[in-house]
Amino acid sequence: MQSKQSLPEISTQELKQKLDQNENMLLLDVREQYEYDIVHLEGAKLIPLNTLPQHLDKFPTDQEIVVYCHHGQRSLYATAYLQKNGFTDTKNLTGGIDQWAIEIDTTLRRY
């Protein structure tokens, strides 16, 4: 398995820039439904980490995938899993949605 250091990551600032430029990407939220209900990024697709293997056929192979969770740990595992399964244009959002709420959109609920 890849080491954590070799997994591609994206900062909240980089993601905001891409979203502002309307770049074509899939925002993948790997938290649980109740967490998604509290707060999520607009347009994000919810697929909890433990159900990821059952949803591999739903992911685009021609589009960047940005994975996030609460603080970045579950999304790190998801990114590694997706990379291992051929989704090479996949990045982990550093610090997760919590970091996003601190640095980018302070109106978002934190938990």
Side-chain angles (χ1 to χ4, degrees), residues 25-38:
M25 71 176 77
L26 170 64
L27 276 176
L28 177 61
D29 188 329
V30 295
R31 299 172 303 149
E32 296 298 318
Q33 181 71 55
Y34 76 92
E35 294 175 286
Y36 184 87
D37 291 343
I38 294 169

Side-chain angles (χ1 to χ4, degrees), residues 15-95:
L15 178 58
K16 178 170 185 351
Q17 190 175 15
K18 284 177 177 256
L19 292 173
D20 288 347
Q21 293 169 349
N22 290 315
E23 283 196 29
N24 186 24
M25 71 176 77
L26 170 64
L27 276 176
L28 177 61
D29 188 329
V30 295
R31 299 172 303 149
E32 296 298 318
Q33 181 71 55
Y34 76 92
E35 294 175 286
Y36 184 87
D37 291 343
I38 294 169
V39 63
H40 60 270
L41 297 179
E42 193 179 327
K45 182 178 184 74
L46 175 68
I47 299 180
L49 181 60
N50 62 346
T51 68
L52 209 53
Q54 292 90 55
H55 294 278
L56 280 181
D57 59 339
K58 295 189 174 100
F59 296 113
T61 52
D62 59 345
Q63 190 180 26
E64 180 179 19
I65 302 173
V66 175
V67 189
Y68 75 91
C69 63
H70 191 194
H71 289 115
Q73 195 59 51
R74 283 173 284 180
S75 55
L76 197 63
Y77 291 123
T79 301
Y81 184 78
L82 288 170
Q83 292 259 330
K84 201 172 92 185
N85 283 278
F87 298 92
T88 52
D89 197 6
T90 305
K91 292 182 179 78
N92 178 40
L93 178 61
T94 310

